[in-house]
């Protein structure tokens, strides 16, 4: 389960990591009650909000209301923004990156630290790997003072060692106590008042839900409130999206087809990540948006994507166009299994094959392959 920034910061605050004063805003009326200067931050599950225009510094009340109205209800990286975090504006001396993750290859937890904070860490890793420190530690013993001092030296934060140690200890406590697969602070900032977590990214391990029922329930309820709002505010009215618990993304062009696909996924031993339905008379844009929605709003990490299309009114060449456009813009992070038939089927299939995307004639075969891919076979 991925947490929103406001939820992660709540956990940070509970365990003693300093975070800015903040308030969750969900309506235009709430905006009128705020006092500048503040930073308005779109609450969506994907990162890179700053770059995409979803984090805005507002220096006066007029711009707070204006920017807030612009952000609420807007679409950010395919997700509808229906909550903002209105946050105290912090005077930043320097931005750092810190995270606790599980390294699948090493089969060990890692601390990752960098003084190149505020940027995408994947990019730093690729272009300037020397700016990143990775330290593994014993999962039972936890990180030791040696780790804290190594990190403080690497970040040139020797004078802030005490503060840094407190942050790292608290991150480890969260990581451990809540079975997190990721606790990331990017950026952690140095200020005249000490170290403050300006952002939060927390993923809880779905496989641990059975022993973390309370925290999953608390955060899921908060997310439902926001996402129900989200569904109501969708003005396109064409895409129905309901998040589910599994790891196989599912898109269909009809509710009946969607229900059938969910049943088949289960019959083959898989679990769907969503019910996403586009209606039976749709366009390349809607197909594209459906893919954006499924990738951006999945609460668990997707392992495969199944698209089941039955062209009655729907044109398969148009559906293929939407899928291919999405692939060209964003790439595909998981294997895609498309079954299409009906109107303009031959053209649609040819377009898919020309773009290197496999298509299936047989519904069950497509479902079975998607389930196998999700199981890593
Ligand atoms: P994202 O990672 O999704 O882009 P962040 O929360 O990291 O969002 O914000 C992006 C940038 O905006 C940060 O690197 C920081 O420079 C700035 N920023 C975020 N929150 C604040 C704040 N409360 N005060 C001042 N600057 C902020
Ligand atoms: Mg960030």
């Amino acid at each position: 389960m991925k947490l929103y920034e406001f939820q992660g910061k709540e956990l940070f605050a509970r365990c003693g990591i300093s975070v800015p004063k903040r308030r969750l805003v969900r309506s235009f009326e709430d905006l009128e009650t705020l006092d500048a200067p503040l930073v308005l931050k779109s609450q969506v599950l994907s990162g890179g909000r700053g770059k995409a225009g979803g984090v805005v510094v507002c220096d006066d009340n007029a711009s707070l209301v204006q920017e807030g109205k612009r952000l609420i209800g807007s679409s950010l990286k395919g997700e509808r923004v229906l909550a903002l975090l209105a946050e105290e504006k912090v005077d930043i001396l320097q931005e750092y990156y810190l995270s606790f993750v599980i390294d699948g290859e090493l089969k060990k937890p890692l601390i990752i630290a960098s003084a190149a904070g505020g940027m995408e860490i994947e990019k730093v890793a690729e272009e300037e790997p020397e700016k990143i420190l990775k330290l593994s530690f014993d999962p039972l013993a936890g990180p030791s003072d040696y780790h804290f001092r190594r990190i403080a030296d690497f970040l040139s934060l020797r004078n802030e060692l005490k503060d840094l140690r407190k942050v790292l200890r608290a991150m480890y406590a969260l990581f451990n106590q809540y079975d997190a697969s990721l606790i990331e602070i990017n950026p952690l900032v140095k200020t005249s008042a000490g170290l403050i977590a300006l952002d939060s990214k927390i993923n809880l391990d779905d496989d641990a839900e059975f022993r973390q029922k309370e925290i999953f329930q608390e955060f899921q309820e908060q997310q439902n409130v926001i996402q129900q709002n989200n569904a109501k505010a969708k003005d396109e009215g064409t895409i129905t999206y309901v998040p589910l618990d599994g790891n196989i993304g599912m898109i269909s062009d009809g509710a009946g087809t969607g229900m059938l696909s969910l049943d088949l996924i289960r019959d083959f031993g898989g679990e769907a990540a969503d019910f996403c339905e586009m209606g039976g008379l749709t366009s390349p844009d809607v197909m594209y948006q459906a893919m954006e929605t499924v990738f951006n709003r999945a609460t668990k990490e997707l392992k495969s994507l199944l698209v089941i299309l039955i062209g009655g009114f729907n044109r398969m060449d148009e559906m293929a166009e939407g899928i291919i456009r999405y692939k060209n813009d964003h790439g595909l992070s998981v294997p895609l299994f498309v079954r299409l038939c009906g109107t303009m089927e031959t053209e649609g299939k040819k377009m898919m094959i020309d773009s290197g995307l496999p298509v299936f004639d047989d519904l069950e075969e497509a479902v079975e392959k998607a389930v196998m891919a999700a199981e890593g076979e």
Side-chain angles (χ1 to χ4, degrees), residues 78-377:
E79 267 179 87
R80 185 69 45 152
V81 178
L82 265 145
L84 304 176
L85 197 59
E87 197 170 76
E88 169 195 4
K89 186 179 159 189
V90 172
D91 282 328
I92 302 170
L93 297 174
Q94 160 116 32
E95 307 196 14
Y96 302 88
Y97 175 97
L98 279 185
S99 68
F100 279 67
V101 290
I102 304 277
D103 186 309
E105 265 171 43
L106 287 176
K107 296 195 171 65
K108 271 189 173 174
L110 278 187
I111 306 176
I112 302 178
S114 174
M119 288 172 248
E120 275 170 65
I121 197 69
E122 293 81 6
K123 216 164 159 207
V124 181
E126 213 168 273
E127 291 168 8
E128 300 168 290
E130 71 284 356
K131 290 196 176 165
I132 294 182
L133 175 71
K134 291 186 181 179
L135 289 180
S136 68
F137 62 88
D138 181 326
L140 293 179
S144 66
D145 218 51
Y146 151 79
H147 295 94
F148 303 144
R149 275 183 276 112
R150 257 307 283 287
I151 295 166
D153 284 342
F154 186 77
L155 300 178
S156 306
L157 281 174
R158 256 289 156 141
N159 293 336
E160 289 78 10
L161 177 59
K162 215 173 132 203
D163 211 3
L164 182 68
R165 187 190 284 130
K166 197 176 94 184
V167 173
L168 287 165
R169 281 212 174 113
M171 286 173 85
Y172 173 67
L174 285 176
F175 188 66
N176 205 24
Q177 186 181 338
Y178 293 120
D179 286 310
S181 53
L182 173 72
I183 305 273
E184 181 188 88
I185 307 182
N186 186 23
L188 175 79
V189 297
K190 184 156 104 178
T191 72
S192 54
L195 298 175
I196 298 179
L198 270 206
D199 194 6
S200 123
K201 189 169 169 190
I202 294 183
N203 296 347
L204 303 178
D205 182 353
D206 294 316
D207 291 332
E209 182 172 350
F210 72 96
R211 60 180 181 202
Q212 297 289 352
K213 284 217 170 76
E214 226 166 275
I215 195 90
F216 269 79
Q217 196 181 344
E218 176 186 353
F219 286 133
Q220 191 59 57
E221 276 168 16
Q222 292 174 352
Q223 299 202 352
N224 289 347
V225 172
I226 290 176
Q227 292 174 356
Q228 265 161 22
N229 234 343
N230 221 343
K232 270 188 245 152
K234 276 217 176 288
D235 47 19
E236 307 96 304
T238 38
I239 298 177
T240 305
Y241 178 86
V242 182
L244 300 171
D245 272 347
N247 55 12
I248 303 170
M250 193 284 293
I251 299 173
S252 70
D253 61 350
T257 318
M259 296 305 287
L260 172 66
S261 307
L262 290 190
D263 283 347
L264 283 173
I265 290 174
R266 178 139 298 178
D267 287 349
F268 281 106
E271 267 203 82
D274 62 80
F275 176 83
C276 179
E277 189 266 309
M278 306 181 289
L281 178 54
T282 185
S283 65
D285 283 346
V286 173
M287 181 67 239
Y288 184 101
Q289 281 166 24
M291 290 184 72
E292 262 188 339
T293 305
V294 166
F295 277 112
N296 290 339
R297 291 187 51 196
T299 47
K300 296 193 181 175
E301 194 189 338
L302 292 188
K303 290 285 163 61
S304 64
L305 175 62
L306 178 67
V307 180
I308 304 291
L309 303 166
I310 300 184
F313 298 110
N314 235 351
R315 291 176 47 152
M316 291 303 116
D317 55 338
E318 293 191 346
M319 294 301 96
E321 183 191 328
I323 294 171
I324 293 163
R325 196 172 352 124
Y326 181 90
K327 176 191 160 224
N328 292 342
D329 286 356
H330 303 280
L332 288 172
S333 52
V334 300
L336 171 70
F337 301 89
V338 181
R339 184 269 188 159
L340 57 81
C341 67
T343 313
M344 306 295 278
E345 175 180 328
T346 316
E347 290 78 1
K349 279 185 181 156
K350 180 167 185 319
M351 288 166 70
M352 295 285 289
I353 290 162
D354 288 349
S355 297
L357 294 168
V359 277
F360 295 84
D361 285 322
D362 188 64
L363 175 61
E364 297 202 356
E365 189 189 348
V367 175
E368 189 178 11
K369 290 256 163 69
V371 171
M372 279 164 63
E375 286 167 353
E377 283 166 30

Side-chain angles (χ1 to χ4, degrees), residues 5 9 20-21 38-42 44 46-52 54-57 76-77 86-92 95 117-119 184 186-187 189 196-200:
E5 177 194 10
K9 281 185 167 160
K21 287 201 193 73
L38 286 174
V39 184
L40 291 179
K41 309 183 72 177
S42 309
V44 290
S46 38
R49 297 164 302 161
K51 245 200 206 155
V55 175
V56 186
V57 180
L76 190 68
K77 305 181 105 186
E87 197 170 76
E88 169 195 4
K89 186 179 159 189
V90 172
D91 282 328
I92 302 170
E95 307 196 14
M119 288 172 248
E184 181 188 88
N186 186 23
V189 297
I196 298 179
L198 270 206
D199 194 6
S200 123

